[in-house]
Amino acid sequence: MDERLLEIKDLYVEYITDDAQVFAVNGIDLSLNKGETLGLVGETGAGKTTTALSIMRLLPEKVGLIRKGTILLDGRNVTEATEADMRLLRGETVSMIFQDPMTSLNPVLTVGDQIAEVLELHKKFKTKPEVEARVDEILKMVGLPPERKHDYPHQFSGGMKQRIVIAIALACEPLLLLADEPTTALDVTIQAQVLALMNELKKNLNTAMILITHDLGVVAQTCDKVAIMYAGEIIETGTVEQIFSGDRHHPYTVGLFQSIPDLKKKTRRLHPIDGLMPDPTDLPSGCKFHTRCPHCMETCKTMNPQPYEEDGHMIRCHLYGQGSQAATD
C-alpha cells in the first residue's frame, strides 16, 4: 500500500480550437499508491475527465495538449511515451471505465469479441480456446452468465452494459483503473450493485483506482483519499476522514457539503454555492473561486493562494495562509 504507482506534477492541459484557448487543467499535483482509491470530486467543467484522459494520453489529437508537467505511471513518464508505448500501457497497466456505457461499446461486435480483443492484444494466449475460457471467467467475475458472450450490446440493459465495460477494463488486471462517473447513467439500485462489484474486484486484484464523481456519498463509501477540483486546480486533498470529519476546509468544499441534504437537520431549503464555474477560456486572476466565495478578501482577487498543509491535508486558500480560522459554518 505504500508503493507509489502514479505521480502527477505541475500538469497543465489546454484545448486549442479555432474559436478559443481553453485552460482545462492548471498546474495540478496528485499521487496514488498501489491498491489505493482516490476520489476526484468537483463540478462539471472542473477538469476531472481531462486529467484522466491525460493519464491515458487520449486527449483529442491536435486539440488537447499537455503544455507542461509530468505524469509518472509505474515509474514511466507518460508525457514522453510514444503512441506505440501507450498502446502497450493501455489495458495492461492502466484502464478506463468511460462515463456512458451506451457509447463505449462497439454495436457491431459481440461483447465476447470485445473482451477477447483486449486479451489478444496484451496477453500471450496460445490458442483461441484459452482466450474463450478467460472471457468466460471474466464475465462470471462481473456477475454475467458466460453464454451471453455471443450477444450484442443492444441486447443488454444499462447496468449490464456497465458490467461489460468494467469487464473489459479489468480483463488484463491493470495496476490502475480510471472510473469516470461509472454510475451516472444508472438507477440507484444498479448504482449500488456496480459500486459493490468494483470494490470487490479492486480488493481481489489489488487495483488502484481514481473514481471521478459528483457524489460525495459514493466517495465516503469507496475511497481512501479525496481530491477536490475547481477550475482546473486541486484546491483540497486529504484522507476521507480529513475531508469528511476535519475542522478545516476550503470554502468550496464547505459549499459542496452544504448542498447535501442532512437527514438530522430540519431545513426548508438547501444552501447551493452561488454563481457558476468561471469560463475556462477567461479564468479570473488570483484565486479562481473568489468570484463565488463568501469569505473573499482583496488579496484573493490578485494572488493565487499557496497550499497550506497539515498532516497530509492540503488546502489552497488565503484563509489559512494568513493564519485565519477556516470557514466551517
Side-chain angles (χ1 to χ4, degrees):
M1 285 290 290
D2 57 355
E3 192 175 347
R4 187 60 52 85
L5 174 63
L6 174 71
E7 189 158 12
I8 300 175
K9 295 182 179 178
D10 200 28
L11 181 67
Y12 286 81
V13 182
E14 297 175 8
Y15 293 105
I16 308 297
T17 68
D18 293 337
D19 301 321
Q21 182 176 6
V22 179
F23 302 97
V25 174
N26 305 301
I28 69 166
D29 297 292
L30 273 181
S31 64
L32 189 65
N33 296 331
K34 289 184 177 178
E36 281 186 336
T37 300
L38 170 73
L40 193 55
V41 181
E43 291 174 88
T44 299
K48 307 183 299 298
T49 298
T50 296
T51 300
L53 292 175
S54 300
I55 296 170
M56 294 281 286
R57 281 276 301 279
L58 288 176
L59 293 168
E61 190 175 358
K62 298 180 181 179
V63 176
L65 304 172
I66 297 176
R67 285 295 190 192
K68 184 183 175 185
T70 58
I71 302 172
L72 297 176
L73 178 62
D74 198 26
R76 285 168 282 192
N77 190 347
V78 170
T79 55
E80 296 178 354
T82 64
E83 183 57 30
D85 292 335
M86 289 307 303
R87 279 198 294 269
L88 295 176
L89 286 174
R90 294 183 198 120
E92 189 163 6
T93 302
V94 56
S95 288
M96 188 164 179
I97 301 171
F98 293 95
Q99 187 168 350
D100 185 2
M102 316 294 177
T103 57
S104 301
L105 296 168
N106 191 328
V108 299
L109 293 178
T110 65
V111 298
D113 286 343
Q114 295 185 57
I115 299 172
E117 183 181 18
V118 183
L119 297 169
E120 290 164 355
L121 283 171
H122 293 286
K123 297 292 183 183
K124 297 178 181 178
F125 290 99
K126 295 180 181 178
T127 63
K128 189 171 180 62
E130 288 179 338
V131 174
E132 292 292 321
R134 178 58 178 159
V135 170
D136 292 349
E137 183 184 334
I138 292 166
L139 285 172
K140 287 180 184 176
M141 186 173 68
V142 297
L144 293 174
E147 55 269 21
R148 298 217 58 186
K149 66 185 177 183
H150 303 296
D151 291 342
Y152 291 86
H154 74 270
Q155 295 174 275
F156 293 86
S157 67
M160 285 181 168
K161 285 190 182 79
Q162 192 62 284
R163 287 172 183 264
I164 294 162
V165 170
I166 292 171
I168 294 170
L170 293 173
C172 295
E173 300 184 4
L175 297 175
L176 175 62
L177 180 64
L178 306 174
D180 186 5
E181 300 187 35
T183 60
T184 298
L186 308 176
D187 63 64
V188 176
T189 306
I190 305 301
Q191 278 187 28
Q193 293 177 5
V194 169
L195 287 171
L197 171 68
M198 290 172 61
N199 270 332
E200 182 182 349
L201 296 175
K202 187 180 77 72
K203 289 175 184 175
N204 293 341
L205 303 176
N206 195 34
T207 301
M209 182 166 68
I210 295 179
L211 178 63
I212 298 171
T213 182
H214 299 278
D215 193 333
L216 289 167
V218 170
V219 171
Q221 180 185 357
T222 310
C223 301
D224 304 306
K225 300 195 297 188
V226 185
I228 309 293
M229 198 164 187
Y230 184 82
E233 296 180 353
I234 301 293
I235 58 172
E236 185 169 358
T237 58
T239 65
V240 168
E241 290 78 11
Q242 288 169 334
I243 300 298
F244 281 79
S245 305
D247 296 326
R248 296 187 168 194
H249 293 297
H250 191 283
Y252 179 63
T253 308
V254 175
L256 291 178
F257 279 107
Q258 288 181 339
S259 300
I260 302 173
D262 189 342
L263 298 179
K264 296 179 182 178
K265 294 181 181 178
K266 187 175 182 180
T267 180
R268 294 186 64 185
R269 296 183 64 87
L270 295 177
H271 301 281
I273 303 170
D274 292 332
L276 298 171
M277 182 85 71
D279 183 353
T281 65
D282 185 23
L283 292 171
S285 58
C287 174
K288 306 298 183 290
F289 187 61
H290 84 259
T291 57
R292 306 171 70 186
C293 183
H295 305 279
C296 178
M297 301 174 286
E298 284 303 315
T299 187
C300 301
K301 300 176 183 178
T302 55
M303 292 179 60
N304 207 20
Q306 294 301 306
Y308 165 87
E309 189 167 340
E310 184 177 353
D311 297 329
H313 183 193
M314 186 280 293
I315 306 172
R316 191 179 291 272
C317 180
H318 286 298
L319 288 173
Y320 302 99
Q322 294 185 357
S324 303
Q325 289 295 314
T328 55
D329 50 27

